[in-house]
Amino acid sequence: MANGQQITKLNVSTSKDEEEILAAQGYQFINVNLNQGAGGSQVLLWYKKERGNRPVTRIQFSFNDSMKSGLADAGYELVNRDLNARVSGNHIFLWYFYGSTEFDIPIVNLQLTADAKEEPAFLQDGWERLGCDLNRNAGGNFIYLWVKREKLSYICEITASVDFDSDKHLFELGYTRVDEDTNRGVRGNNVFLWYRCTTDKHKALTALNISTSLQEEAKLQAEGFKKLSVNLNKGTSGKDVYAWHKKEGRESQIQAMLLLINSKAWNEYQKAGINFVEENLNDGNNGWKIYLAYK
């Protein structure tokens, strides 16, 4: 596990030769195979902490070619190694960014989980789970990268996109994309949720919710929630699904939000007392069941 100082570089190895080269260059690795349970090569994530160098503030993943252009145009650094090397599944690439907006908070720790049972404890300990399953469509374990920031951070805004045209703009505005398509497994638009972080707890969102009917929309509106205008089911035959958020009340500030696609995770998060919104984001179609959780 990476502790203390800020992370300044990231890399990936997909062979023994690459492991030796990165070790010789002063990189350290996290001892979790990113192909765990899927066969294929041993794939490891490596990081560096160098004094005086710029800190990494955001990490994203791409799992199709359309996701790449916005990241490249916004100045993200590509690690050109397929995280699903020599297995079936999506070609997944890691990207990282040195940001200087008010929404960029240096990353000081990294960890990987390969079991849903491990996840709630990380969330409760102030870690932020990134959205992409690093074994996406390859079978094997659901593997997620977690980051810990230099300061406690909160989610201050969320938005959504239904294509890739606005990616560059949203990255430049300091948003992090949740790298999982809410229309996964069904024909429709590529729909992604996004969030921005802040260290100012007074700007934090305090609750999130999902509606799948007009009755639920009316109820959430009456409770002071604001609706994101993007239908998370856009382009499918399913119900109209909307995300809602509010800042009223200061009893709890949201530090992280996640899309849960692993059915084993649903019960684990609920058992741990983490906010779990019991509305399937693919309601009314035959796509993956996806649920929103937040802390």
Side-chain angles (χ1 to χ4, degrees):
M1 181 166 58
N3 282 313
Q5 283 167 265
Q6 300 165 338
I7 307 278
T8 55
K9 267 188 194 149
L10 293 168
N11 222 315
V12 170
S13 64
T14 61
S15 68
K16 283 275 179 261
D17 287 352
E18 289 171 5
E19 289 171 17
E20 287 172 17
I21 291 164
L22 292 174
Q25 289 174 353
Y27 282 89
Q28 295 169 271
F29 69 94
I30 302 172
N31 194 19
V32 174
N33 178 10
L34 301 184
N35 269 345
Q36 190 171 320
S41 309
Q42 172 164 283
V43 176
L44 296 174
L45 177 61
W46 300 69
Y47 62 89
K48 231 182 202 184
K49 297 184 162 195
E50 303 154 300
R51 287 192 186 282
N53 284 19
R54 290 180 303 165
V56 173
T57 60
R58 280 183 265 161
I59 300 171
Q60 299 282 167
F61 296 94
S62 61
F63 54 79
N64 64 39
D65 285 344
S66 302
M67 295 173 80
K68 293 179 176 179
S69 54
L71 288 161
D73 293 346
Y76 277 70
E77 309 261 344
L78 166 65
V79 178
N80 202 8
R81 290 284 179 277
D82 183 358
L83 274 56
N84 268 340
R86 290 181 273 289
V87 295
S88 59
N90 299 110
H91 297 297
I92 299 174
F93 293 90
L94 183 149
W95 303 70
Y96 62 97
F97 187 67
Y98 303 108
S100 55
T101 73
E102 64 177 292
F103 310 105
D104 282 291
I105 303 142
I107 294 168
V108 292
N109 285 359
L110 298 170
Q111 189 56 280
L112 289 156
T113 56
D115 184 341
K117 286 191 171 78
E118 302 173 297
E119 294 186 23
F122 277 98
L123 198 65
Q124 289 169 327
D125 194 32
W127 293 77
E128 177 186 330
R129 197 195 81 176
L130 302 186
C132 187
D133 166 24
L134 303 184
N135 255 340
R136 197 176 193 274
N137 286 338
N141 299 51
F142 286 85
I143 297 180
Y144 288 99
L145 178 61
W146 298 71
V147 302
K148 201 166 225 190
R149 299 189 180 277
E150 194 169 59
K151 296 177 182 158
L152 192 58
S153 64
Y154 308 92
I155 290 178
C156 58
E157 275 161 292
I158 63 168
T159 190
S161 60
V162 296
D163 53 37
F164 301 101
D165 297 347
S166 58
D167 285 7
K168 175 178 183 276
H169 183 57
L170 289 171
F171 288 130
E172 286 173 346
L173 290 175
Y175 279 93
T176 295
R177 179 176 60 204
V178 180
D179 290 322
E180 185 51 80
D181 184 352
T182 67
N183 276 341
R184 182 167 180 184
V186 67
R187 288 178 76 130
N189 289 58
N190 294 109
V191 181
F192 290 91
L193 285 166
W194 302 65
Y195 61 89
R196 272 202 298 208
C197 293
T198 180
T199 53
D200 183 351
K201 72 189 303 187
H202 300 295
K203 292 181 179 173
L205 299 181
T206 57
L208 298 172
N209 222 313
I210 298 288
S211 68
T212 60
S213 70
L214 286 172
Q215 288 84 348
E216 288 170 4
E217 289 190 30
K219 181 173 177 285
L220 291 171
Q221 209 163 0
E223 290 172 6
F225 280 87
K226 290 188 174 142
K227 175 177 155 185
L228 279 192
S229 61
V230 171
N231 176 10
L232 302 181
N233 242 342
K234 187 174 171 68
T236 80
S237 57
K239 296 182 182 177
D240 289 350
V241 175
Y242 291 97
W244 297 70
H245 56 94
K246 73 171 172 180
K247 280 187 181 174
E248 289 172 17
R250 289 282 163 252
E251 65 290 341
S252 61
Q253 292 84 24
I254 294 175
Q255 293 173 27
M257 75 169 188
L258 313 89
L259 293 182
L260 301 181
I261 58 168
N262 177 2
S263 57
K264 289 178 182 165
W266 305 336
N267 191 35
E268 296 296 336
Y269 277 77
Q270 289 176 91
K271 268 195 320 199
I274 289 158
N275 297 296
F276 181 90
V277 182
E278 294 195 42
E279 297 283 0
N280 173 18
L281 272 59
N282 269 327
D283 200 357
N285 68 46
N286 59 359
W288 283 55
K289 283 190 176 174
I290 302 177
Y291 293 92
L292 178 72
Y294 67 93
K295 178 198 175 286

